[in-house]
């Protein structure tokens, strides 16, 4: 009898190990199948990335081409403008707004600076 019980226990342990191994194998197969199914998604992403790189290069080319056309048109206009006495290039320096003082501070300093002048003008009257 004890031999029969030990064989039964051994058989149930082997059954548990076999079931665990089958479960691990099924998980591995599902993961591999998921990778195979994702191939189409990766191909789509690859195509979209190639398309976006092409479009970025095309935009860069068009910008360079437009700048080149602008330079050529300016060079063509320069001799005419020189004959007519028009300046060939006009530039305006716009100050950086971060470097400019606050308008309220300017008004306050002008008011404080003008107070002595106002008192001097009253004294003259």
């Amino acid at each position: 009898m004890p031999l029969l019980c030990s064989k039964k226990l051994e058989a149930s342990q082997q059954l548990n190990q076999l079931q665990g191994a089958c479960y691990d194998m099924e998980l591995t197969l599902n993961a591999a199948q998921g990778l195979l199914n994702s191939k189409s998604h990766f191909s789509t992403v690859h195509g979209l990335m190639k398309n976006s790189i092409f479009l970025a290069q095309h935009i860069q080319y068009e910008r360079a081409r437009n700048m080149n056309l602008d330079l050529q048109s300016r060079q063509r206009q320069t001799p005419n403008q020189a004959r007519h006495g028009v300046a060939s290039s006009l530039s305006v320096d716009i100050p950086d707004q971060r470097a400019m003082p606050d308008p309220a501070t300017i008004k306050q300093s002008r008011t404080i600076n003008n107070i002595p002048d106002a008192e001097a003008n009253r004294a003259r009257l």
Side-chain angles (χ1 to χ4, degrees):
M1 194 71 158
L3 183 61
L4 186 63
C5 287
S6 67
K7 291 291 181 183
K8 183 179 178 183
L9 182 63
E10 187 180 322
S12 69
Q13 287 175 348
Q14 287 179 352
L15 180 65
N16 285 338
Q17 287 179 349
L18 183 61
Q19 286 176 342
C22 287
Y23 179 76
D24 290 342
M25 184 61 71
E26 286 177 16
L27 283 179
T28 305
L29 286 173
N30 286 338
Q33 188 63 38
L35 287 173
L36 290 175
N37 291 341
S38 65
K39 182 179 180 180
S40 64
H41 299 294
F42 284 119
S43 296
T44 303
V45 169
H46 182 260
L48 291 171
M49 288 178 71
K50 281 175 61 174
N51 191 28
S52 66
I53 290 170
F54 168 77
L55 290 175
Q57 289 173 341
H58 186 69
I59 289 170
Q60 188 178 24
Y61 166 77
E62 288 294 327
R63 283 184 181 162
R65 184 174 163 240
N66 287 340
M67 287 178 59
N68 191 16
L69 290 175
D70 286 345
L71 287 173
Q72 287 176 356
S73 67
R74 287 181 187 170
Q75 288 173 352
R76 277 187 237 129
Q77 290 174 358
T78 302
N80 277 342
Q81 290 174 350
R83 278 187 241 139
H84 296 300
V86 178
S88 62
S89 66
L90 298 174
S91 66
V92 177
D93 291 334
I94 299 173
D96 187 13
Q97 289 185 354
R98 291 174 285 171
M100 295 177 68
D102 184 31
T105 308
I106 294 172
K107 185 176 181 180
Q108 183 181 16
S109 67
R110 286 183 183 165
T111 305
I112 292 172
N113 290 340
N114 289 336
I115 290 175
D117 292 336
E119 290 175 2
N121 287 336
R122 285 187 198 145
R124 287 184 207 160
L125 294 173

